C-alpha cells in the first residue's frame, strides 16, 4: 500500500488526491488530506465571494472526493510548525504533495501604504468569508463614504461588488453575522475601481464584470473620454481581433460609458490609465485619499507616465494587485517566483529531485489560472508521483500516521468533526433567521468539532 499525504484541501489538493486514488496502475493507494484549518475546501470556502453561489457549489464536488473511503481529511494540522516539520511528515508517509497556495498579497510599494484604512483585498475577502485568521474590526466601514480598489481582476471586482451591495442581498448567503452587520452599517456610497492600463486589458471575466451593472440601486460608471484613451476602444477592427473575453468586456464597458451615471444611491466608477503613486493621509493617521498618475499606452502593450496627477478621495483603500507564495519551513523556495522549485511537480533540492516530495497548485506554478486549472496541474504531479511509486513503496513506515500526529500534540479534525462544524453553522443560521452561516473564529470552529469544551 502506498500512503500519501496531501497538504492543503483546496481544489489542487483535492484534485491531486482524487487522481491518486482513482488511477489503476498502482493499487492500494491511501491519501490523507491535511489542512491547517479545521474546515476543508481552501479558497472555495474562504476565497469565493459568498454571493457567488454557483462557484461555491463546487464544494459539493470536492466533498464527494473527500468522502471517498480511500481518502481521509485531517484538519487543524499545521505542517512546518513547531509540532510537525516537513521532515517528520515525510517519515510518516511514502510521499507528500504540497498544495499550499499563495498566501500573501503583493504590495503597491508606494508612500503611505502603511496608513490605517489601507488593506489588501485578500484581508477583506478573508473577513467577509469568515476565515478564522481574519481581523474583524479593522475596516471601519461605518466611517467610510468613498473607497478605492486598486486592481483590474476578479478579486478587485468581487470586493467592489461586496462594498456596493445591500444587506438584503447578502443576508441569504453564508456570510458571517459580524461581517453582514458591518456591511449593513456601511457608509460607503462611492467605490472607484482603478486600473493602470486600459479597458481592453482588464483581467476580470465578463460575467463578474457584468454583475457590477446589475446591482440594485447602484450605478456602474465609465468615463467615455478616459476609456477612449485605449487605442482599441474606438477601433472596431482592433477590437474584433481581441480575445473573446476582452472583446466582451469592452462591449460591457462601452455600454456603461454610453449610458452615463444615473440617480442610484451608490456608484461604482471604473477608472483606467491611472497608476497609484501615493496614499494620502490626514492628521489622524488614517487614509484620506490616493494620488494617481495618468498613464498612456506606450505602443508595446504597456503604459508610461504622463506627469499628470489626480487625487481620489477615500477613507478605505483595498489593493488587489496579485498574490505571491510564501516559503514553507523545510521546503526549498524561489523568492523571485514565489514558488517551490520543481520538475513536473517533483520538488527540486539543489537542482535534483527530492525523493517523495511533490507540489501542485499555486505553490507549483504561481497564482495563475482559474479553479479548473488546478485539475491538469494536479494530474501532472500525480503522474510524476506514480512513476516513482515503485521506489517510494519500498520504504517501511510506522503504523497509522494519525497516531503519530496525536502523539506530537496535534488535535486533528477528522471528517465527522467537519460534519459537526457544518451542522453547527446550519443551526447558527436558523437561529438568525438565515441559511447556514459561517462560524468565523478558531474557538467556535474547534468547539463545534468537539475539540474545545
Amino acid at each position: 500500500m502506498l500512503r500519501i499525504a496531501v497538504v492543503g484541501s483546496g481544489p489542487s489538493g483535492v484534485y491531486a488526491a482524487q487522481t491518486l486514488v482513482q488511477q489503476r496502475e498502482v493499487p492500494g493507494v491511501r491519501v490523507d488530506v491535511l489542512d491547517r484549518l479545521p474546515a476543508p475546501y481552501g479558497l472555495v470556502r474562504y476565497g469565493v465571494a459568498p454571493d457567488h453561489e454557483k462557484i461555491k457549489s463546487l464544494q459539493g464536488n470536492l466533498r464527494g472526493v473527500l468522502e471517498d473511503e480511500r481518502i481521509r481529511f485531517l484538519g487543524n494540522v499545521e505542517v512546518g510548525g513547531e509540532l510537525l516539520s516537513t521532515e517528520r511528515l515525510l517519515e510518516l508517509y511514502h510521499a507528500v504533495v504540497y498544495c499550499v497556495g499563495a498566501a500573501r498579497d503583493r504590495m503597491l510599494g508606494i508612500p503611505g501604504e502603511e496608513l490605517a484604512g489601507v488593506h489588501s483585498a485578500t484581508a477583506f475577502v478573508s473577513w467577509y468569508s469568515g476565515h478564522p485568521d481574519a481581523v474583524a474590526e479593522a475596516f471601519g466601514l461605518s466611517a467610510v463614504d468613498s473607497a478605492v480598489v486598486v486592481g483590474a481582476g476578479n478579486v478587485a471586482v468581487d470586493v467592489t461588488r461586496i462594498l456596493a451591495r445591500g444587506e438584503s442581498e447578502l443576508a441569504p448567503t453564508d456570510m458571517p453575522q459580524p461581517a453582514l452587520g458591518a456591511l449593513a452599517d456601511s457608509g460607503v456610497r462611492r467605490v472607484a475601481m482603478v486600473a493602470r492600463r486600459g479597458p481592453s486589458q482588464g483581467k476580470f471575466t465578463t460575467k463578474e464584470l457584468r454583475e457590477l451593472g446589475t446591482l440594485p440601486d447602484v450605478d456602474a460608471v465609465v468615463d467615455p473620454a478616459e476609456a477612449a484613451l485605449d487605442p482599441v476602444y474606438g477601433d472596431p477592427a482592433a477590437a474584433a481581433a481581441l480575445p473573446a473575453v476582452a472583446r466582451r468586456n469592452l462591449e460591457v464597458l462601452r455600454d456603461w460609458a454610453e449610458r452615463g451615471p444615473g440617480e442610484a444611491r451608490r456608484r461604482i466608477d471604473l477608472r483606467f490609465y491611472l497608476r497609484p503613486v501615493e496614499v494620502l493621509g490626514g492628521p489622524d493617521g488614517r487614509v484620506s485619499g490616493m494620488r494617481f498618475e495618468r498613464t498612456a499606452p506606450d505602443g508595446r502593450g504597456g503604459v508610461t507616465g504622463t506627469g499628470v496627477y489626480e487625487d481620489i478621495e477615500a477613507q478605505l483603500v483595498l489593493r488587489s494587485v496579485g498574490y505571491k507564495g510564501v516559503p514553507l519551513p523545510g521546503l526549498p523556495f524561489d523568492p523571485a517566483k514565489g514558488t517551490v522549485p520543481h520538475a513536473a511537480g517533483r520538488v527540486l533540492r539543489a537542482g535534483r529531485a527530492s525523493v517523495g516530495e511533490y507540489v501542485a497548485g499555486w505553490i507549483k506554478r504561481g497564482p495563475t489560472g482559474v479553479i479548473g486549472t488546478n485539475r491538469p496541474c494536479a494530474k501532472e504531479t500525480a503522474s510524476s508521483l506514480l512513476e516513482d511509486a515503485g521506489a517510494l513503496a519500498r520504504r517501511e513506515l510506522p503504523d497509522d500516521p494519525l497516531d503519530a500526529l496525536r502523539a506530537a500534540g496535534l488535535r486533528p479534525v477528522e471528517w465527522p468533526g467537519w460534519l459537526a462544524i457544518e451542522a453547527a453553522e446550519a443551526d447558527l443560521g436558523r437561529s438568525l433567521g438565515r441559511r447556514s452561516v459561517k462560524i468565523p473564529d478558531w474557538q467556535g470552529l474547534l468547539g463545534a468539532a468537539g475539540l474545545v469544551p
Side-chain angles (χ1 to χ4, degrees):
M1 180 178 72
L2 195 65
R3 184 185 294 159
I4 302 166
V6 170
V7 182
S9 65
S12 62
V14 174
Y15 292 152
Q18 181 182 40
T19 303
L20 288 165
V21 299
Q22 289 185 349
Q23 53 77 38
R24 298 181 179 180
E25 294 84 359
V26 180
V29 172
R30 295 293 183 270
V31 177
D32 284 350
V33 177
L34 281 53
D35 203 293
R36 185 178 71 87
L37 299 176
Y41 311 138
L43 285 180
V44 177
R45 175 174 166 91
Y46 289 119
V48 174
D51 58 342
H52 274 179
E53 294 192 12
K54 184 174 181 181
I55 302 176
K56 288 180 72 67
S57 68
L58 246 155
Q59 291 185 20
N61 297 341
L62 303 181
R63 180 193 191 99
V65 176
L66 293 175
E67 288 179 332
D68 189 302
E69 62 182 8
R70 297 164 294 182
I71 296 174
R72 179 169 59 178
F73 172 71
L74 300 176
N76 196 37
V77 175
E78 182 176 8
V79 177
E82 294 181 1
L83 301 180
L84 182 61
S85 67
T86 55
E87 293 83 1
R88 176 56 176 157
L89 185 63
L90 192 55
E91 292 173 358
L92 301 177
Y93 294 88
H94 291 111
V96 181
V97 184
Y98 292 95
C99 308
V100 292
R104 185 178 298 164
D105 65 284
R106 295 185 180 277
M107 302 288 287
L108 296 172
I110 60 175
E113 199 168 359
E114 75 288 347
L115 288 169
V118 181
H119 306 273
S120 70
T122 308
F124 192 63
V125 170
S126 293
W127 169 68
Y128 68 60
S129 296
H131 196 293
D133 291 340
V135 179
E137 67 280 352
F139 299 102
L141 296 179
S142 61
V144 176
D145 177 76
S146 300
V148 167
V149 177
V150 182
N154 278 344
V155 175
V157 172
D158 278 348
V159 298
T160 296
R161 187 182 67 255
I162 294 296
L163 283 170
R165 271 205 185 282
E167 179 187 13
S168 61
E169 302 151 55
L170 294 171
T173 73
D174 64 357
M175 180 179 286
Q177 190 67 22
L180 180 65
L183 286 163
D185 293 336
S186 168
V188 174
R189 294 294 176 267
R190 190 159 182 162
V191 184
M193 193 178 92
V194 186
R196 64 185 179 88
R197 297 197 291 180
S200 67
Q201 296 170 303
K203 298 300 183 182
F204 33 71
T205 53
T206 310
K207 178 181 180 297
E208 278 66 29
L209 175 65
R210 190 176 284 125
E211 281 183 290
L212 297 180
T214 62
L215 302 178
D217 205 19
V218 176
D219 285 329
V221 180
V222 174
D223 181 344
E226 191 168 78
L229 296 173
D230 190 328
V232 179
Y233 186 80
D235 186 342
L242 289 172
V245 173
R247 190 169 61 248
R248 290 193 295 266
N249 288 344
L250 208 57
E251 291 170 359
V252 172
L253 295 168
R254 184 180 289 110
D255 178 62
W256 292 346
E258 293 173 353
R259 185 175 60 193
E263 301 295 330
R265 186 170 65 95
R266 286 177 172 163
R267 170 170 167 157
I268 297 171
D269 288 286
L270 290 98
R271 303 295 308 274
F272 299 97
Y273 289 116
L274 292 174
R275 176 167 58 200
V277 295
E278 184 180 0
V279 181
L280 307 175
D284 58 354
R286 294 192 59 84
V287 59
S288 62
M290 283 199 75
R291 178 161 295 157
F292 294 87
E293 182 184 15
R294 168 68 62 195
T295 59
D298 64 4
R300 301 183 300 275
V303 293
T304 185
T306 65
V308 177
Y309 297 88
E310 176 182 345
D311 294 349
I312 299 179
E313 178 188 349
Q315 299 80 45
L316 173 70
V317 170
L318 300 177
R319 61 177 181 271
S320 181
V321 291
Y323 300 90
K324 58 182 179 180
V326 295
L328 186 69
L331 279 187
F333 187 72
D334 182 341
K337 296 180 179 178
T339 59
V340 171
H342 72 93
R346 295 179 177 91
V347 172
L348 297 178
R349 293 182 180 272
R352 301 183 63 179
S354 176
V355 178
E357 293 185 304
Y358 304 84
V359 285
W362 278 4
I363 201 63
K364 171 186 174 184
R365 67 180 191 273
T368 60
V370 295
I371 290 175
T373 311
N374 290 293
R375 193 177 289 278
C377 172
K379 186 176 181 179
E380 179 191 53
T381 296
S383 297
S384 294
L385 190 158
L386 293 168
E387 289 174 7
D388 304 338
L392 297 173
R394 286 196 290 268
R395 185 163 58 90
E396 292 191 10
L397 301 179
D399 292 333
D400 189 348
L402 182 55
D403 296 332
L405 297 178
R406 287 174 173 153
L410 292 161
R411 297 185 299 163
V413 172
E414 298 182 70
W415 194 250
W418 160 240
L419 296 181
I421 292 173
E422 274 194 323
E425 292 184 336
D427 289 342
L428 176 60
R430 281 191 290 270
S431 73
L432 296 169
R434 299 172 58 195
R435 287 154 50 182
S436 181
V437 171
K438 282 181 184 169
I439 297 170
D441 61 280
W442 280 97
Q443 185 82 2
L445 289 168
L446 295 177
L451 296 186
V452 176

